Amino acid sequence: KEQSSCSYFIFDQQHSHLNEKQVVIEPELISAVRRREFELYYQPRVDISNGNIIGAEGLIRWNHPEKGLIFPDEFIPTAERTGLIVPMGYWVLQQAGEDIHRLREAGLDIKHLSINLSFRQFQDGYLCRTIQRIIEKYDIDTSILEFELTESALFNNELHVREGIEELHKLGINFSLDDFGTGYSSFSLLQKLPISSLKIDRSFVAGVADNQDDREIVKALIRLAHSLNKEVIAEGLETRQQLNFLASYGCTQAQGYLYSKPVPFAEFQQQLAEGIQT
Ligand code: C2E
Ligand code: CA
Ligand code: CA
Ligand code: CA
């Protein structure tokens, strides 16, 4: 059953000659999906006040048999364009479900597990059903699950995206707005959609130490998040200086290299058990 859900995707051959790199990567990507050459890494999400891990974001990696580790920026755009993101996304969801289960078996609790969803995944009629099946299979507490969507995915106003979000929200799943600040947010939609948290894009976080504009933007984003009653998470936190700035303006959660890079599951499990040093 799990496998059959992975076989639905639309391969868009019309555009497969667009540029050379993609021509090379597409057939490889198809076989990578078939052979499951992927690995889900985890980046801890940390409570700024005490350094405790409160959750993680799952981030896909491609273990290419010859080229080694390939990062998502090199294959997600092709996967989205061709529809391969659909079976790939199912693999991610299935893996996340299995990993949540393994953590619970090990007695390691997390409050949030975030997964990136592409709006193309909502165009597949099996998304909600498949997620429901994974939740049942691994007996997952749905309040842990959080799906990250970008502004363009959330606000493209497609009916099936909105319906999908509502349906998943009814199961108890939370949503989070990714790369907050980089797109066009509609404040009224931000209120209406079941979004529980906003993730400040790392391009702004990177600038808070020496760029006055970025400082003002980050302050405004934090204030906006709080006035809309949303949690706010800073992405790409790399320095103590950035941490101090964010903390002083009321941001309470962060992810970034200051705490940890995304790591393989086993390493994340160890971080949960032993804590992380900064
Ligand atoms: P994103 O969702 O904005 O993820 C955050 C990216 O920032 C990750 O890159 C992460 O490794 C990186 N990052 C985290 N902390 C720091 C830091 O302190 N400094 C710097 N310089 N970078 C940091 P990654 O893992 O390469 O992922 C890139 C993008 O690929 C993600 O951006 C997301 O949009 C997409 N992606 C990753 N996994 C999936 C997936 O399973 N499904 C979908 N649809 N997209 C995914
Ligand atoms: Ca994300
Ligand atoms: Ca992001
Ligand atoms: Ca991003």
Side-chain angles (χ1 to χ4, degrees), residues 14-272:
Q14 255 182 346
H15 298 105
S16 58
H17 55 272
L18 277 184
N19 76 47
E20 221 171 308
K21 195 174 176 192
Q22 284 172 342
V23 173
V24 176
I25 215 171
E26 269 175 26
E28 284 184 286
L29 204 51
I30 294 171
S31 88
V33 170
R34 288 216 186 96
R35 295 189 203 149
R36 318 252 157 105
E37 289 171 359
F38 302 106
E39 186 169 353
L40 198 56
Y41 276 45
Y42 292 93
Q43 183 176 44
R45 168 165 158 190
V46 175
D47 178 339
I48 286 181
S49 70
N50 54 20
N52 290 343
I53 300 175
I54 48 178
E57 175 178 2
L59 293 155
I60 194 170
R61 300 288 181 262
W62 178 4
N63 287 316
H64 192 285
E66 284 114 39
K67 296 175 191 160
L69 195 68
I70 304 182
F71 286 79
D73 287 342
E74 281 195 49
F75 62 87
I76 292 282
T78 302
E80 287 187 330
R81 192 174 45 76
T82 56
L84 280 166
I85 193 70
V86 171
M88 194 183 290
Y90 283 142
W91 178 85
V92 168
L93 288 163
Q94 151 72 28
Q95 189 60 52
E98 190 180 322
D99 290 344
I100 291 174
H101 184 78
R102 283 153 83 194
L103 289 180
R104 199 181 48 221
E105 296 278 279
L108 298 165
D109 279 321
I110 48 168
K111 262 183 80 182
H112 309 277
L113 198 283
S114 304
I115 293 299
N116 295 284
L117 277 193
S118 156
F119 90 95
R120 293 277 315 238
Q121 293 178 258
F122 287 94
Q123 294 173 333
D124 176 82
Y126 300 89
L127 182 67
C128 296
R129 252 175 288 174
T130 306
I131 289 169
Q132 204 154 6
R133 237 185 1 242
I134 292 168
I135 288 167
E136 280 161 18
K137 180 174 175 191
Y138 295 109
D139 191 23
I140 292 170
D141 170 2
T142 50
S143 67
I144 293 174
L145 270 184
E146 193 173 274
F147 291 145
E148 300 192 0
L149 290 163
T150 59
E151 282 156 309
S152 57
L154 271 171
F155 302 132
N156 77 354
N157 216 23
E158 278 193 56
L159 191 62
H160 49 248
V161 176
R162 271 181 294 143
E163 285 177 346
I165 290 173
E166 287 303 334
E167 200 174 332
L168 292 169
H169 183 62
K170 281 192 197 124
L171 299 176
I173 294 167
N174 297 299
F175 286 85
S176 154
L177 178 55
D178 207 353
D179 303 345
F180 183 41
T182 60
Y184 300 93
S185 284
S186 149
F187 297 149
S188 65
L189 260 179
L190 261 184
Q191 276 295 48
K192 270 183 222 139
L193 291 171
I195 302 163
S196 53
S197 61
L198 308 172
K199 301 190 79 172
I200 300 179
D201 190 70
R202 84 175 137 88
S203 60
F204 302 117
V205 175
V208 296
D210 50 23
N211 184 311
Q212 186 60 28
D213 288 343
D214 285 345
R215 266 199 291 274
E216 292 306 324
I217 291 168
V218 167
K219 280 196 256 179
L221 293 177
I222 295 172
R223 228 179 300 128
L224 179 61
H226 286 158
S227 67
L228 294 170
N229 241 328
K230 317 275 188 211
E231 290 187 51
V232 58
I233 303 144
E235 290 191 322
L237 189 75
E238 293 185 353
T239 68
R240 297 234 142 245
Q241 210 178 352
Q242 292 165 351
L243 183 148
N244 293 337
F245 178 88
L246 287 158
S248 69
Y249 286 95
C251 178
T252 56
Q253 301 177 38
Q255 287 174 226
Y257 295 173
L258 177 67
Y259 298 115
S260 171
K261 287 185 182 174
V263 293
F265 175 77
E267 205 170 317
F268 174 61
Q269 190 165 3
Q270 199 177 340
Q271 291 176 332
L272 268 179

